[in-house]
């Protein structure tokens, strides 16, 4: 019932910034905690950031802490990922996901709905 669409990916130089957006349709967006995951070619999908339904609680994986910021605007049914000080190792397809099941908030198995992904490429 929930559809998620990411946007904002692209090609940037190391040290640059990018803001990803994920817009939801269907369901009650404000009732879902949301996460951002990323997947590089040949690698497993990994957790990047989490935000609770109201936006009051956030978590980040250590590799992005201090550089990335997750936020949401429930009136616009949108969650954002602001990425600063980008590094080549941040290159990946980035996915947003809605949590509608039990499981770890840091695991893909803890989320039920997924967007199609948006490519982020960071050049040196």
């Amino acid at each position: 019932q929930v559809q998620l669409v990411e946007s904002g990916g692209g090609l940037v130089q190391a040290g640059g910034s990018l803001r990803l957006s994920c817009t939801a349709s269907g369901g009650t967006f404000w009732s879902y905690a949301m996460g951002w995951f990323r997947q590089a070619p040949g690698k497993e999908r990994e957790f990047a950031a989490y935000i609770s339904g109201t936006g009051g609680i956030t978590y980040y994986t250590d590799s992005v802490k201090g550089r990335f910021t997750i936020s949401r605007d429930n009136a616009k049914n949108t969650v954002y990922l602001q990425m600063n000080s980008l590094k080549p190792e941040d290159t990946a397809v980035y996915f947003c996901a809605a949590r509608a099941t039990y499981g770890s908030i840091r695991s893909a198995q803890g989320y039920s709905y997924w967007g199609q992904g948006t490519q982020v490429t960071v050049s040196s």
Side-chain angles (χ1 to χ4, degrees):
Q1 292 183 339
V2 177
Q3 294 181 330
L4 305 173
V5 179
E6 302 97 333
S7 63
L11 175 64
V12 297
Q13 295 187 34
S17 297
L18 206 61
R19 187 173 80 160
L20 306 183
S21 299
C22 174
T23 300
S25 61
T28 51
F29 178 72
W30 56 89
S31 69
Y32 294 103
M34 300 288 293
W36 284 98
F37 289 76
R38 62 187 186 179
Q39 187 168 21
K43 303 292 185 180
E44 293 184 337
R45 189 169 300 184
E46 67 172 350
F47 168 79
Y50 162 92
I51 188 166
S52 62
T54 62
I57 302 172
T58 59
Y59 296 104
Y60 301 91
T61 192
D62 287 344
S63 62
V64 310
K65 198 172 300 180
R67 299 187 298 120
F68 290 11
T69 302
I70 188 171
S71 62
R72 66 191 298 160
D73 185 342
N74 286 345
K76 296 181 179 179
N77 287 359
T78 301
V79 62
Y80 304 95
L81 186 67
Q82 178 67 46
M83 304 183 294
N84 298 325
S85 301
L86 283 163
K87 305 174 181 179
E89 50 262 46
D90 295 318
T91 295
V93 176
Y94 283 71
F95 300 88
C96 69
R99 179 173 171 83
T101 186
Y102 298 103
S104 173
I105 62 172
R106 294 175 172 84
S107 170
Q109 287 72 39
Y111 298 80
S112 296
Y113 304 102
W114 295 83
Q116 84 289 348
T118 185
Q119 177 71 47
V120 172
T121 303
V122 184
S123 63
S124 60

